[in-house]
Amino acid sequence: MTTTDPVPARVVFAVSMDGSVRKVVTVRSALVLVNTLEEQVEVRLEKPAVRYEAHSLKIDSGSSLAVPLSYVSADIWVRPIGFWSVGFCNKPIHWRHLLRPGESSDGIRSCTPDGGDVGIYRFCVSVKRENYPASMGKHVQPGHRITFLPPVVLVNLLPYDIEYYLKATEITGKVKAGKQAALFAADVSQDLELGVRIESFARCKELLIAAGSTHYVVRMHLYDSADRRMLLHVRIASRRGGALKVSILAPYWLVNKAGLPLVFKQENVHKEAAGQFEEHEFARSVAPLLFSFASSEAPSMCTMRIGRRQHSDGYLPNWCQPFPLEAGVGVRQLHVKSTNYGQPNWVYNIGIDVRAGRGRYRDTNIVTFAPRYQLDNRSRHKLQFAQRCTLYVQSSVSQLSALPNSSLPFHWPRLDMDPLLCVRSCNIAGCLWSGGFRIDRLESLHVNMRDEQRKSHFLRVEIVIQGPTFFVVFTDASSMPPPFRIDNYSEVAIQFWQTKVDDRLRSWVSQQTSVPYAFDEPTLPPYLTCAVSGGTSATYSMNSFGEGELLCYENLFYIAVSETFTAETGRPSTDHTLAMQLVLDVPQGIAVILACKQSGKRSQLWRMTGGGMLVHEGSSEPRDPRKLTDQSKAGLVLDIDAIAPQPDRYVQLILKKHDERRQRTQTWHFTEDGRLCCPQLPSLYVQVRSGCLRRGADVLLGPAPPAPPHTCRLNSRGIPVEQGISRQKLRPGSGALSVKILADGPTRVLQITDRNQKRAASQPTCDWILVDEHKLLEQDSPTTDGSAPYQPRQDLQVHVLLKHGVAVSLINQFCEELCFISLGDIMCEYTANVKAETLNCSIRDIQVDNQLLGTQVPVMLHMTAAPRTDVHRSLPALSVIVRRVPSQERVNADIYEYLIVDLRPMSLKLDERLLWKLFQFFGMYQSDAELIRMEESDYDAQRALTAATSIANKRYYFGMMRLDIRQLKLSVFTSGKLAPDLRAIKHLTGVPLIRFEDADIELDPFERGHQFETSQFLLDAVVKHYTEELKSQAANILGSVDFLGNPLGLFNDITEGISGLISEGKVGGLFKNVAHGVSNSTAKFTGSLSDTLGKVSMDDQHQALRENIRSHSGTSGEHLTAGLMGLGVGVFGGLTSVITQPIQGASRDGFEGLFTGLGKGIVGMVTKPAVGLLDMASGAAHAVSRTSRSTSKYSYQRVRPPRSCVGPGSLLQCYSAGQAEDQQFLYSLNNNVYSERLIAYEQIHSQRKTHCIISSEKIYFLRGNRQNKDIVLVVHLSELQRCQHLAVRAHNGETTNYIVLTKKPDPQALGSRSPQDLQQSPQVVCESEMMAMKVAHKVNYAWNLYQESIQTLVIDEEGEE
């Protein structure tokens, strides 16, 4: 486009998204001005050809503006406006001298003041030619970005405000913590001497910044009032325009969160670290302490002690053991010794967490000193805490208090005693201390506190770890199910207590009552002891479900005269003698008489043996009710006072010793009509003389009257009242109690039932959130006939079988396939009914392919090949079994009986390039702008703590949880060169990678039982477990690294060969394994050495060429070929290095680059041939290794080739195996140039076997099959002018169809000839008119895409340090 000015200009159509729906098209010029200064600037545009015609623009700070099209050729003058009263810059800004894309030039401009006290204003200018197409004609078209920058930017990366000054100038100022300041008066063309003052450091040694400085880090010396030195790091970075960015930072921040005054120093240095004064001996410093290793002669270790004023004069603090300030977590003990005899020493445990800063602070290590333990009271009670050994020591130091919703650090008063914490509530009258529990491991528990009446009150305690600190969180347990419950369905009261606890902690559970419980002493074994009054006791493990030992008690009874108990007859008594409650008694001697019933009187109690004898309890010794009584050793039994009974006489009842000869009169039976008799004397009954029912009356055995007289009183059963004899039990129940341990969700229940009870109480209560003792209701138990209540049948069974499995493809935003996840032979079985839901799922095969083009490792994850003798060979790769039971609606929890995840041995091969692309895909990184907050680590810790311990969060109970990963073969393959975006992600994550292969990682399974936690708590526990397991395998990883030659791999190969020789007698297998191990170790060692030496040559192009050669070597022949090619490249590169490197350096950096390139060339003369020799040795060793590979080491291949992602319209298309193969064939033609994309592949003539491949850059015509790769014609799209179909009719009437590709004429060969004379139009025969038209259409489509791509501006975002 041309404006009123006869100079052509570019028009740019910038397309952006406004929200998620609307697109905005901005039409502008190609000349953009960017203002990064702190002030608004005024830009004056003056046309050199038209005098006095000018145009002014204003650009705000931090914004950009395109120059109007009519002024793109004008001279550019700039000045700041606002505070600065200065004129325009001393010379205009030019851009026409930059012609090639990517070229840039820097300069500095000065604005002189118009008057007043304002000094000279300087700013830097960066002019860069962007990636526009080359200018047409003799005129230079604009396509530049002009950026205005401050000459010096001072960034304060310290936690304090700093005062700065430039020596020998008037430039001074102040920069707040975390902020930056622009020094507009600084002249970067001259040397600068920078000085800095901060709090407590009033003197410094100025730092000289030479003119033309680039990137480097230097130390600055500061001195405090005690003349102690501290070293700050100053990072100087060169920016666009010649500007400088000066960042001031400290190597270490010491953050004291221990709640104690801490004093630090460098190991073996007599003075404390700089910046510490007398106030640090009294209290902790809230602000971080800047620290550096000021002495180079002393070890780079730090040590600390407690402030001297923390304790009285009788104590002396000692320095702790030194510790490094490297990333990690540690603990140190700080000892304070007592100088007074008899007083104990103080010991404090301090956690140390060292981490690299985030974002801009990544070069500073932040060292946090925190208490090892922190108590967090989130309950509604005011709580007191104490170590168990100090419970009865009245000291404000040994006993701490915490109000609701508060926290406090905790230190053990006595480390020489058991580290057990006790707690009690100040809101409960007479609350006793709880039992001691450990707080140095991840767990959760209920704490039992008892009041004066020994009633239990529960607190929930959850222990989580964040960094070096264990957070002990106390919450109310009212909304949580208790860990244990005692359900007493029997008819007698039961006493229970935790085994081995004090007798005062024993509790009672009444009959038909349920009581929640938590262990009084959490550190004791999980055993409960139960006892029945007057009976037996037994101990039960609460971790063992099922039936336990029986509880038994003496079931003694009274022998009562039925008529004297109105409850027996159910009728009101009309005679006062009938309500006297008369029973058989032997008050003294041996005679049996009637007496009024007295509760518990032993002379009135009887028991019946298995043989039918009535043993008198009052004359017998106490016995174990669980054991049968030896009748020979029984006490006195009921008998008659006669040698033998007389059928017509009444005989007195007395007590006699057991005698086998008197079995007829010592065996008794209670009849169904309510009388007592001897079975062998059926006509004689126990009765009262003359029907006289009174106290002291004799009890006789005599005949029943043949016909009762009318005066005789009869009971409701029709027998005389004086013969109505019955049993009345002293206590209800059968005397035998069944005890069972079962689970009711997260609560383990000890259930007690009477053995003869008809209804077996097996159902849980209607509300299992129990906070107090309550009666068991009838609806809590099954129906009276023992059957469960009716519920409708709700059974569901689902079987899913996917024989060919499921596959998932991951494709990023750049239309690049990352991974192909293949899950084969999937079987799932789901069963649901009213009792539970069960899921059993298995996956036979798992494979994750690395689909990146040109990757070193085509398969990322696969099952490890198992030997034939392995019993687990036929098992699926992954199996998951889980059983879920219904939970109460009022409870925010899921109840799982078990969860078992079993994973077969797997091999994981991490390619560094794929790893960072996956980070990019899932957004698992953060930019510097997102990491500026200095206290973010604290925020993350509190957020994680809340997620793990919040009562409102959903909880999950697992009766058994097992995650079993048996074995993992881990390999990491590093990449020599990463794309800029991937390098940025690697830099932000800070994860160092080292190359190693086939490290055997043995991981112990993660097993937990009876877990009732939040998902975050469980996840943290799993992560911590496997993190510790991986740390324990560091030796295996170190033994597999490439730079050591993988010694563990060599050892395993030799071991496998020897095992095969011993077990199967394979001598060849031994030699084969030894050859593979030695060659593999040699290849890895020489490969690592060549990579290290290759970096010394400082030639990125040479390194990229080596990477390209090695990335396409898979078979033995390819490895050998790659080695020979590497040797050739190394020798050729060494011979030409002295010539090519200086030329490249001069074209890039001018005269200075010439000498730099010459130095690189001289180094390359030596290193590149050496690298070539090592590459050849590595390739040969790899070839031997592949040839001698054992048959047991199966080489896994991709399930399918990488997809061709981009289809018509640059849209993602469905996978096509043919297109994937065509794409692979294209890359075999163009030497694996992956920037060239496949557009179409067509067979244009079947008889001639000609094919056409259309890519985003070229058109290939081939003859024959793919193996021959006989290329007939190649036309680059930049040479193509048009493509069309041509039909030629022959004399015989046959029509031949051609594709005509018209090329552009070469401008250099034109001379005096016309373009038509030099125009080339190759023709290719097609099989049909339809095929010719189809191919011509696709070629024109590819040409349009190519033209669109070269007209598209690719913005090169430059990061600034």
Side-chain angles (χ1 to χ4, degrees):
M1 176 179 178
T2 58
T3 64
T4 56
D5 212 356
V7 179
R10 278 193 178 90
V11 176
V12 178
F13 296 87
V15 183
S16 60
M17 293 294 297
D18 182 12
S20 59
V21 178
R22 185 172 60 178
K23 290 185 178 180
V24 178
V25 180
T26 303
V27 183
R28 62 172 176 83
S29 69
L31 186 61
V32 179
L33 306 179
V34 181
N35 179 19
T36 63
L37 304 175
E38 293 184 352
E39 293 83 17
Q40 186 184 40
V41 297
E42 180 183 1
V43 180
R44 183 176 176 84
L45 305 173
E46 294 183 354
K47 293 185 178 180
V50 183
R51 194 173 183 181
Y52 304 116
E53 184 178 350
H55 183 68
S56 295
L57 302 172
K58 293 183 179 180
I59 307 177
D60 294 331
S61 175
S63 60
S64 61
L65 187 66
V67 174
L69 285 173
S70 57
Y71 288 92
V72 292
S73 60
D75 293 335
I76 302 173
W77 303 82
V78 181
R79 70 170 181 178
I81 57 177
F83 172 77
W84 296 87
S85 179
V86 294
F88 285 98
C89 54
N90 53 350
K91 54 183 177 179
I93 300 171
H94 301 288
W95 52 265
R96 293 180 183 85
H97 60 289
L98 302 176
L99 303 178
R100 291 182 297 179
E103 279 189 317
S104 62
S105 67
D106 301 332
I108 187 169
R109 299 294 186 271
S110 301
C111 300
T112 57
D114 294 336
D117 298 332
V118 179
I120 296 178
Y121 185 94
R122 295 183 177 91
F123 65 93
C124 294
V125 179
S126 171
V127 184
K128 181 179 180 182
R129 172 66 158 78
E130 295 190 297
N131 297 319
Y132 288 101
S135 300
M136 300 175 62
K138 61 180 180 179
H139 296 286
V140 179
Q141 292 179 326
H144 301 71
R145 178 178 292 264
I146 303 174
T147 307
F148 312 132
L149 306 96
V152 177
V153 174
L154 185 63
V155 184
N156 179 11
L157 298 181
L158 301 177
Y160 301 99
D161 297 348
I162 65 173
E163 296 180 3
Y164 66 88
Y165 63 92
L166 291 180
K167 189 176 180 181
T169 68
E170 297 180 356
I171 301 175
T172 61
K174 180 180 290 187
V175 187
K176 292 186 175 295
K179 303 297 182 180
Q180 64 183 29
L183 282 61
F184 293 102
D187 187 0
V188 293
S189 62
Q190 304 294 327
D191 293 346
L192 304 176
E193 290 190 65
L194 175 66
V196 170
R197 301 186 186 94
I198 62 176
E199 182 182 355
S200 304
F201 294 89
R203 186 169 64 91
C204 82
K205 183 179 180 181
E206 290 81 6
L207 176 66
L208 177 63
I209 304 176
S213 298
T214 54
H215 294 269
Y216 63 94
V217 178
V218 68
R219 292 181 177 181
M220 175 180 282
H221 298 242
L222 275 71
Y223 299 89
D224 63 3
S225 58
D227 203 32
R228 294 173 294 191
R229 183 177 61 176
M230 184 185 64
L231 303 178
L232 292 182
H233 289 179
V234 180
R235 184 172 61 230
I236 301 172
S238 176
R239 306 171 72 194
R240 292 176 293 174
L244 294 178
K245 184 178 181 181
V246 182
S247 302
I248 299 177
L249 54 97
Y252 303 99
W253 292 2
L254 306 186
V255 183
N256 182 6
K257 295 184 179 180
L260 299 168
L262 300 178
V263 180
F264 305 91
K265 74 167 186 175
Q266 185 179 0
E267 175 68 6
N268 291 344
V269 175
H270 299 293
K271 294 182 179 180
E272 288 84 2
Q276 299 178 108
F277 304 96
E278 185 63 23
E279 57 267 22
H280 289 80
E281 304 284 354
F282 286 88
R284 75 178 185 95
S285 175
V286 177
L289 175 69
L290 305 182
F291 182 81
S292 65
F293 294 112
S295 175
S296 59
E297 298 178 356
S300 296
M301 304 281 282
C302 184
T303 183
M304 60 180 170
R305 62 170 172 82
I306 296 292
R308 293 191 179 93
R309 302 300 182 182
Q310 173 69 14
H311 295 277
S312 60
D313 295 336
Y315 290 90
L316 180 64
N318 292 346
W319 293 100
C320 72
Q321 291 293 324
F323 52 90
L325 298 184
E326 299 175 355
V329 177
V331 181
R332 286 296 182 272
Q333 290 185 352
L334 304 186
H335 294 262
V336 182
K337 290 190 175 181
S338 172
T339 58
N340 299 326
Y341 179 77
Q343 291 188 358
N345 300 330
W346 286 90
V347 182
Y348 298 92
N349 280 331
I350 302 297
I352 306 169
D353 181 16
V354 184
R355 65 172 179 85
R358 301 184 178 184
R360 298 186 303 171
Y361 301 91
R362 66 174 63 93
D363 293 328
T364 297
N365 280 347
I366 300 176
V367 187
T368 303
F369 299 90
R372 186 60 172 165
Y373 308 99
Q374 180 162 319
L375 309 181
D376 193 351
N377 181 15
R378 298 187 181 180
S379 70
R380 64 176 185 273
H381 300 271
K382 178 183 177 182
L383 301 179
Q384 277 190 316
F385 309 98
Q387 189 177 358
R388 183 168 183 171
C389 63
T390 63
L391 290 182
Y392 305 104
V393 178
Q394 298 299 325
S395 172
S396 60
V397 178
S398 60
Q399 296 182 5
L400 304 177
S401 299
L403 295 173
N405 298 317
S406 65
S407 61
L408 52 88
F410 179 77
H411 302 276
W412 297 113
R414 297 287 301 274
L415 274 179
D416 56 332
M417 307 297 286
D418 290 336
L420 299 177
L421 183 68
C422 299
V423 62
R424 69 177 177 183
S425 173
C426 299
N427 301 107
I428 301 174
C431 183
L432 304 179
W433 289 100
S434 71
F437 54 94
R438 296 184 61 178
I439 57 174
D440 57 351
R441 57 189 177 189
L442 287 175
E443 67 173 344
S444 62
L445 68 154
H446 275 59
V447 172
N448 192 350
M449 304 179 298
R450 295 181 181 262
D451 56 19
E452 293 176 333
Q453 287 75 32
R454 300 300 189 267
K455 183 180 179 180
S456 295
H457 302 271
F458 300 148
L459 271 180
R460 177 73 173 178
V461 180
E462 293 178 290
I463 306 170
V464 297
I465 186 170
Q466 291 291 331
T469 303
F470 285 96
F471 288 88
V472 187
V473 183
F474 297 85
T475 55
D476 294 320
S478 56
S479 61
M480 301 279 290
F484 307 103
R485 194 176 72 233
I486 315 299
D487 287 352
N488 183 12
Y489 287 94
S490 70
E491 300 296 331
V492 295
I494 302 295
Q495 189 181 30
F496 67 94
W497 65 92
Q498 186 181 2
T499 309
K500 297 182 180 180
V501 299
D502 192 271
D503 292 345
R504 295 174 296 178
L505 299 178
R506 299 188 178 190
S507 303
W508 287 89
V509 52
S510 304
Q511 59 272 21
Q512 301 297 322
T513 305
S514 178
V515 174
Y517 181 69
F519 284 135
D520 291 285
E521 292 292 346
T523 57
L524 291 180
Y527 291 98
L528 274 183
T529 301
C530 297
V532 186
S533 179
T536 63
S537 64
T539 299
Y540 307 94
S541 172
M542 298 304 292
N543 289 341
S544 301
F545 294 109
E547 295 281 352
E549 185 179 349
L550 286 176
L551 289 176
C552 301
Y553 58 93
E554 285 286 5
N555 197 10
L556 304 176
F557 56 86
Y558 299 92
I559 302 178
V561 180
S562 303
E563 191 66 16
T564 60
F565 291 84
T566 56
E568 293 290 328
T569 61
R571 297 177 284 107
S573 176
T574 57
D575 188 349
H576 71 279
T577 60
L578 300 182
M580 297 178 62
Q581 297 187 346
L582 299 178
V583 297
L584 274 63
D585 192 1
V586 187
Q588 52 184 326
I590 59 175
V592 179
I593 62 175
L594 292 182
C596 291
K597 178 181 176 182
Q598 298 182 28
S599 178
K601 187 177 181 182
R602 297 187 73 239
S603 63
Q604 297 178 355
L605 297 177
W606 308 81
R607 69 170 182 270
M608 179 171 282
T609 66
M613 293 188 301
L614 288 174
V615 181
H616 186 241
E617 179 66 17
S619 60
S620 304
E621 296 180 358
R623 68 182 188 93
D624 189 345
R626 292 173 296 183
K627 298 180 180 180
L628 295 176
T629 304
D630 188 357
Q631 294 187 359
S632 62
K633 297 181 180 180
L636 300 180
V637 299
L638 186 64
D639 204 342
I640 61 174
D641 190 13
I643 298 176
Q646 300 294 327
D648 55 349
R649 293 181 58 186
Y650 293 92
V651 184
Q652 173 76 36
L653 292 182
I654 61 172
L655 298 180
K656 287 188 178 180
K657 291 185 178 180
H658 169 69
D659 190 350
E660 291 289 343
R661 296 171 298 178
R662 297 188 61 82
Q663 185 177 3
R664 293 179 59 198
T665 57
Q666 289 186 355
T667 303
W668 300 91
H669 171 65
F670 290 93
T671 63
E672 294 182 359
D673 58 1
R675 292 187 283 190
L676 179 62
C677 67
C678 294
Q680 298 182 18
L681 303 171
S683 60
L684 301 179
Y685 299 95
V686 176
Q687 50 192 296
V688 181
R689 184 186 298 275
S690 303
C692 183
L693 301 180
R694 60 178 178 81
R695 289 179 295 178
D698 294 332
V699 183
L700 312 173
L701 178 68
H710 297 288
T711 57
C712 182
R713 290 186 301 169
L714 303 179
N715 62 14
S716 60
R717 298 183 178 181
I719 61 174
V721 295
E722 63 270 15
Q723 295 181 11
I725 304 297
S726 62
R727 288 179 293 184
Q728 288 190 1
K729 294 181 180 179
L730 175 65
R731 288 186 291 180
S734 64
L737 304 179
S738 297
V739 182
K740 182 188 298 183
I741 311 296
L742 49 89
D744 179 13
T747 303
R748 281 168 278 178
V749 181
L750 188 142
Q751 190 181 85
I752 305 169
T753 55
D754 196 286
R755 195 171 186 181
N756 295 338
Q757 195 172 356
K758 291 185 178 180
R759 54 181 183 91
S762 60
Q763 295 291 326
T765 59
C766 61
D767 184 4
W768 52 279
I769 302 180
L770 298 173
V771 295
D772 204 349
E773 177 177 331
H774 68 275
K775 289 290 183 178
L776 293 169
L777 306 180
E778 289 296 328
Q779 59 264 31
D780 296 342
S781 304
T783 54
T784 55
D785 60 354
S787 62
Y790 171 76
Q791 291 182 346
R793 185 178 181 86
Q794 299 177 358
D795 292 347
L796 175 65
Q797 288 188 347
V798 179
H799 296 268
V800 178
L801 179 61
L802 302 175
K803 194 66 178 178
H804 298 287
V806 175
V808 179
S809 180
L810 297 184
I811 302 173
N812 62 13
Q813 58 182 337
F814 309 109
C815 284
E816 182 181 22
E817 187 176 28
L818 303 180
C819 292
F820 182 72
I821 306 171
S822 175
L823 308 177
D825 196 0
I826 301 175
M827 183 186 69
C828 288
E829 180 178 351
Y830 174 77
T831 305
N833 51 41
V834 295
K835 293 183 178 180
E837 300 173 74
T838 305
L839 176 65
N840 188 344
C841 185
S842 65
I843 302 175
R844 176 68 58 181
D845 300 310
I846 296 177
Q847 182 168 323
V848 180
D849 293 340
N850 180 355
Q851 298 294 90
L852 292 181
L853 299 172
T855 182
Q856 306 176 63
V857 188
V859 180
M860 176 183 175
L861 179 70
H862 61 82
M863 292 186 297
T864 303
R868 296 179 180 178
T869 57
D870 190 354
V871 295
H872 303 293
R873 182 183 180 90
S874 60
L875 295 178
L878 176 66
S879 64
V880 179
I881 306 175
V882 58
R883 180 179 174 85
R884 179 179 180 269
V885 298
S887 60
Q888 302 294 330
E889 295 181 357
R890 292 175 54 188
V891 180
N892 185 22
D894 282 345
I895 311 301
Y896 296 89
E897 287 188 5
Y898 50 80
L899 170 63
I900 302 174
V901 179
D902 191 4
L903 184 67
R904 267 189 58 186
M906 305 294 289
S907 294
L908 178 62
K909 301 176 181 179
L910 293 177
D911 182 7
E912 183 178 12
R913 195 158 60 98
L914 176 62
L915 178 64
W916 302 132
K917 282 185 177 290
L918 290 175
F919 269 65
Q920 187 182 53
F921 180 81
F922 292 106
M924 299 169 60
Y925 69 97
Q926 293 174 302
S927 62
D928 285 359
E930 297 170 329
L931 297 174
I932 290 179
R933 292 177 299 170
M934 296 165 54
E935 297 298 329
E936 185 180 9
S937 60
D938 295 337
Y939 170 74
D940 290 343
Q942 292 300 323
R943 181 175 56 186
L945 187 64
T946 302
T949 60
S950 175
I951 298 177
N953 288 346
K954 189 172 185 177
R955 293 180 178 265
Y956 300 87
Y957 171 77
F958 291 93
M960 181 183 69
M961 184 180 191
R962 178 183 174 89
L963 307 179
D964 190 359
I965 303 176
R966 299 175 184 173
Q967 189 186 54
L968 181 67
K969 277 188 175 294
L970 183 61
S971 304
V972 174
F973 298 88
T974 57
S975 179
K977 186 177 182 181
L978 294 173
D981 56 340
L982 300 184
R983 275 203 313 271
I985 295 174
K986 180 179 180 180
H987 183 63
L988 289 171
T989 54
V991 178
L993 293 178
I994 188 171
R995 187 183 180 101
F996 61 90
E997 189 174 355
D998 290 341
D1000 288 327
I1001 309 297
E1002 300 285 346
L1003 302 175
D1004 290 336
F1006 176 82
E1007 291 183 294
R1008 295 291 186 274
H1010 309 297
Q1011 294 289 297
F1012 187 62
E1013 311 294 349
T1014 62
S1015 58
Q1016 185 65 41
F1017 189 97
L1018 293 173
L1019 181 62
D1020 291 344
V1022 173
V1023 171
K1024 179 176 175 58
H1025 170 79
Y1026 283 110
T1027 301
E1028 296 298 327
E1029 287 295 312
L1030 286 175
K1031 288 181 180 178
S1032 66
Q1033 300 294 315
N1036 290 342
I1037 296 176
L1038 181 62
S1040 304
V1041 294
D1042 283 8
F1043 68 83
L1044 293 180
N1046 192 7
L1048 278 182
L1050 174 62
F1051 176 77
N1052 292 334
D1053 283 331
I1054 296 175
T1055 303
E1056 182 180 347
I1058 294 175
S1059 300
L1061 176 65
I1062 295 175
S1063 60
E1064 302 179 12
K1066 294 182 178 180
V1067 180
L1070 173 62
F1071 288 104
K1072 199 172 184 179
N1073 278 277
V1074 171
H1076 177 268
V1078 173
S1079 60
N1080 187 47
S1081 297
T1082 304
K1084 293 184 183 303
F1085 179 74
T1086 54
S1088 298
L1089 189 59
S1090 67
D1091 288 340
T1092 304
L1093 196 58
K1095 294 178 182 179
V1096 178
S1097 65
M1098 296 175 288
D1099 190 347
D1100 293 337
Q1101 293 182 356
H1102 183 262
Q1103 288 292 93
L1105 183 58
R1106 291 181 58 243
E1107 286 286 338
N1108 188 35
I1109 292 173
R1110 292 191 301 179
S1111 62
H1112 303 96
S1113 53
T1115 63
S1116 300
E1118 290 174 345
H1119 277 292
L1120 187 58
T1121 303
L1124 294 174
M1125 291 178 64
L1127 175 61
V1129 169
V1131 173
F1132 180 78
L1135 295 176
T1136 60
S1137 180
V1138 184
I1139 302 173
T1140 58
Q1141 290 288 345
I1143 295 175
Q1144 294 176 2
S1147 62
R1148 184 172 56 251
D1149 298 325
F1151 188 73
E1152 181 182 352
L1154 175 65
F1155 287 97
T1156 304
L1158 182 61
K1160 291 181 179 180
I1162 295 174
V1163 173
M1165 285 183 61
V1166 180
T1167 59
K1168 290 179 180 179
V1171 169
L1173 287 172
L1174 291 173
D1175 284 342
M1176 186 186 69
S1178 177
H1182 272 298
V1184 176
S1185 174
R1186 296 288 178 181
T1187 305
S1188 59
R1189 177 188 289 269
S1190 173
T1191 56
S1192 62
K1193 297 179 180 179
Y1194 177 75
S1195 179
Y1196 285 82
Q1197 302 298 325
R1198 286 176 173 145
V1199 176
R1200 62 165 177 78
R1203 72 162 66 219
S1204 177
C1205 294
V1206 181
S1210 298
L1211 299 177
L1212 180 66
Q1213 57 184 353
C1214 295
Y1215 180 78
S1216 170
Q1219 287 184 344
E1221 293 175 359
D1222 297 341
Q1223 179 179 250
Q1224 284 187 316
F1225 183 55
L1226 170 64
Y1227 295 141
S1228 67
L1229 294 177
N1230 67 0
N1231 294 324
N1232 299 295
V1233 178
Y1234 299 117
S1235 59
E1236 186 176 354
R1237 294 183 288 107
L1238 176 71
I1239 302 297
Y1241 179 94
E1242 297 291 343
Q1243 183 177 6
I1244 59 178
H1245 206 294
S1246 59
Q1247 294 182 354
R1248 299 189 179 187
K1249 296 182 180 180
T1250 54
H1251 306 264
C1252 176
I1253 297 180
I1254 306 172
S1255 73
S1256 60
E1257 297 180 7
K1258 298 176 183 179
I1259 305 168
Y1260 301 86
F1261 293 94
L1262 303 94
R1263 181 183 291 115
N1265 53 28
R1266 294 188 176 185
Q1267 286 72 24
N1268 295 332
K1269 298 180 184 179
D1270 185 8
I1271 300 177
V1272 177
L1273 176 65
V1274 178
V1275 178
H1276 199 283
L1277 292 176
S1278 62
E1279 305 172 354
L1280 185 66
Q1281 187 172 3
R1282 63 180 177 273
C1283 177
Q1284 59 187 1
H1285 160 246
L1286 176 63
V1288 178
R1289 184 179 295 275
H1291 296 290
N1292 56 3
E1294 294 183 358
T1295 302
T1296 305
N1297 296 282
Y1298 293 92
I1299 302 172
V1300 181
L1301 299 104
T1302 304
K1303 293 184 178 182
K1304 297 177 182 178
D1306 187 0
Q1308 297 179 357
L1310 280 176
S1312 60
R1313 290 177 290 181
S1314 64
Q1316 289 76 13
D1317 297 336
L1318 297 175
Q1319 200 171 53
Q1320 298 180 5
S1321 300
Q1323 299 178 1
V1324 181
V1325 179
C1326 290
E1327 190 170 17
S1328 63
E1329 179 183 2
M1330 182 179 296
M1331 177 58 68
M1333 295 177 64
K1334 180 180 179 181
V1335 173
H1337 173 73
K1338 291 186 176 180
V1339 170
N1340 289 326
Y1341 171 73
W1343 183 82
N1344 290 330
L1345 289 180
Y1346 177 78
Q1347 293 299 320
E1348 182 180 345
S1349 65
I1350 63 176
Q1351 294 295 333
T1352 301
L1353 174 63
V1354 180
I1355 300 177
D1356 183 16
E1357 296 288 348
E1358 287 190 0
E1360 289 187 12
E1361 178 54 32

